[in-house]
Amino acid sequence: MHYKKLITPLAIATMTFTSAFAYADIGFKHKDKHKRDKNTPTTQINETPFDYNDVSTLLNILNQGAVEEHLGQHIEQADLESLGQLDAFTEAFEEGDELFEIEFNALDGVGINVGNGKRFSSIPRLDLTGDMAWANVLPTRATGPNGNSCLSCHNQPISDGAGGVNDNTIRIDPERIQSGFIERQAPHIFGLGGLQLLAEEMTTELQLLRDQAIIDSCKTKTRLSISMTAKDINFGSLHVLCKRINYRDLAGIDKDLVVKPFEWKGLTAFTRDFVRGAAHQELGMQATELVADKDLDFDGITNEFTVGDITALSIYSAGQQRPVTTLELNQVITQLTLEERETYGLPLSLTEIQSIERGSEVFSDMQCASCHTPALTVNTPRFYEPSLHTDYRDEIFPAGEEIPLPNVAIEFDITEDIFVNPLELSSGQTLGEFEKDENGSAIVRLYGDMKRHDMGAPLAEDFDEGNVGASVFLTENLWGVASTAPYLHDGRATTLTEAIMYHGGDAQDSKNLFANASQDNQEDLLAFLNSLVLYLEGE
């Protein structure tokens, strides 16, 4: 069960003289009625800060934290590590599921001081500069906190799904260098384990290309130009003269050659880092591994998420089922409820199936697949938390060496061990598990390329988050797209047609091909996109 929170988008921060004049004219017929003599005294607003002590005292006597209420206590990393391999994964996933759904309260440490006793804000409060106020919280905040549960934002149209436009987060530059505001719509969290494993293997390929080029250039004393391609995705080229590397032609990735599959700008590499960042920014729940046992958000609570808590949330996120298609659901229709069949428009008619199949071909013909690559393959589909890859785990927690890292990795196979959606397909695998090919590799049908692209001026933002380019975004994976309207990073596109027509920059040619296509081809393409859905059994 989940509850949808409401967040009011940020109004325009300043108003020009012209707009102020226009607003002043509204209702001019009644302006005399409401006119006040300038000598009339105004009512003084009491600006005395709210004293939270009385609330806090009684709160501690009469209530308990939501974690304590639902789980009994926080999760200890040592307890997870004491279990066998499968038991550890099962326990971490189930505890993470509980934490994802819990509506945290003040005794858990949810929220922060946003003035006058309030804990949540739909807008960043950089104006609150007191010693124990929003602007001085560490690590530096960019938004919120705007919710009391992970499900507050990941709830459309089902649990673990995307966020509606009312759930958008409003952000400022965390470095406090650039001015302006941006909005972010929460994506769904289905299939995250597959994305991280893809990123890990692609990073390994790219870094090996670089390292071998350095060796060859030093040996031959010649300048080399190498194509940086991983899993058939091209990231431009490097120019190498022994240990001197020129990155001018590198594309869609940072100079460290680490593929970062999370956030709209591709700024975060691994699930654990994303989880604890979201906990701090969106919930105001500060993980021990982020701030140690310090109260850096001034709410009187420390150790708001233990190392074990973050491990559980990370395993839960990485162990999510994959998105599916209506063609697949049509294969297991006898295992679906009547309500589920109606929700997904099943059974599909022969005409509908043919339209979807034609739309897949149109998708390729319109060059959409040049960025939204239909499928990539994970050679070794076993997920580890912490990862075996040094770029996808902490060498030291952000809080420092005083907080010990996990000693034992929790692991699972994304083609065999996914609990969710156990409906069996003709292949023998379940609807939740990633497909396994003849080599035992995992097929990840993400419809993305794990690479950043310039999307053109219309999508450029007020400030350049991550310093990757104001109009540059990570290719949004289209799996589940039919279930996650509205679209784009800020939810501005209410339909798939709008989303396509907002494309520019690197995607301008595809946009033009769609705009100039026959209506039949356009409708087939939309039929195909509308076949890419999220499914969660029992919801």
Side-chain angles (χ1 to χ4, degrees), residues 402-461:
E402 63 182 289
I403 308 301
L405 295 165
N407 293 311
V408 179
I410 296 175
E411 56 184 282
F412 64 94
D413 191 315
I414 64 172
T415 66
E416 297 179 354
D417 299 329
I418 303 298
F419 299 134
V420 192
N421 293 346
L423 286 68
E424 190 168 322
L425 297 164
S426 58
S427 64
Q429 289 186 271
T430 71
L431 200 62
E433 294 168 338
F434 282 85
E435 300 165 75
K436 185 187 297 185
D437 68 13
E438 64 276 7
N439 300 315
S441 301
I443 303 171
V444 182
R445 301 189 187 279
L446 73 168
Y447 293 93
D449 62 1
M450 316 286 276
K451 177 181 174 182
R452 300 184 191 123
H453 293 273
D454 186 351
M455 294 299 293
L459 293 182
E461 298 188 292

Side-chain angles (χ1 to χ4, degrees), residues 90-119:
T90 303
E91 180 73 8
F93 186 90
E94 291 180 349
E95 297 281 12
D97 190 0
E98 289 284 342
L99 287 170
F100 199 87
E101 294 181 359
I102 284 176
E103 293 183 333
F104 301 104
N105 66 38
L107 293 176
D108 298 300
V110 75
I112 62 168
N113 176 19
V114 291
N116 204 32
K118 293 185 293 183
R119 289 181 170 269

Side-chain angles (χ1 to χ4, degrees), residues 64-82:
Q64 60 181 345
V67 172
E68 183 180 358
E69 178 183 350
H70 290 277
L71 298 181
Q73 62 182 4
H74 285 275
I75 302 162
E76 296 300 326
Q77 180 70 24
D79 291 340
L80 293 175
E81 293 179 359
S82 69

Side-chain angles (χ1 to χ4, degrees), residues 108 119 131 140 145 151 178 185 199 210 243 246 279 296 307-308 340 358 362 366 368 472 506 524 532 537:
D108 298 300
R119 289 181 170 269
D131 291 340
T140 306
L151 275 182
Q178 304 177 78
Q185 186 178 23
R210 176 200 61 196
K243 295 183 179 181
N246 187 315
L296 298 187
V307 173
E340 288 173 336
R358 289 195 303 270
V362 173
M366 290 185 179
C368 304
V472 172
D506 294 349
D524 285 341
L532 306 177
E537 186 183 34

Side-chain angles (χ1 to χ4, degrees), residues 60 133 148:
N60 280 278
N148 65 344

Side-chain angles (χ1 to χ4, degrees), residues 79-200:
D79 291 340
L80 293 175
E81 293 179 359
S82 69
L83 301 173
Q85 177 180 302
L86 180 58
D87 288 341
F89 169 56
T90 303
E91 180 73 8
F93 186 90
E94 291 180 349
E95 297 281 12
D97 190 0
E98 289 284 342
L99 287 170
F100 199 87
E101 294 181 359
I102 284 176
E103 293 183 333
F104 301 104
N105 66 38
L107 293 176
D108 298 300
V110 75
I112 62 168
N113 176 19
V114 291
N116 204 32
K118 293 185 293 183
R119 289 181 170 269
F120 304 99
S121 175
S122 59
I123 59 174
R125 293 305 305 272
L126 196 58
D127 59 309
L128 299 176
T129 58
D131 291 340
M132 300 176 68
W134 195 97
N136 289 308
V137 167
L138 293 174
T140 306
R141 297 192 56 77
T143 190
N146 43 49
N148 65 344
S149 168
C150 300
L151 275 182
S152 295
C153 290
H154 297 283
N155 55 36
Q156 297 295 319
I158 50 180
S159 298
D160 310 320
V165 70
N166 287 336
D167 300 315
N168 279 9
T169 63
I170 297 168
R171 302 169 64 90
I172 60 172
D173 178 16
E175 298 177 347
R176 312 293 197 254
I177 297 173
Q178 304 177 78
S179 61
F181 299 90
I182 59 175
E183 287 191 52
R184 288 289 178 264
Q185 186 178 23
H188 68 77
I189 67 167
F190 284 46
L192 294 194
L195 296 182
Q196 181 173 322
L197 289 176
L198 276 176
E200 291 181 11

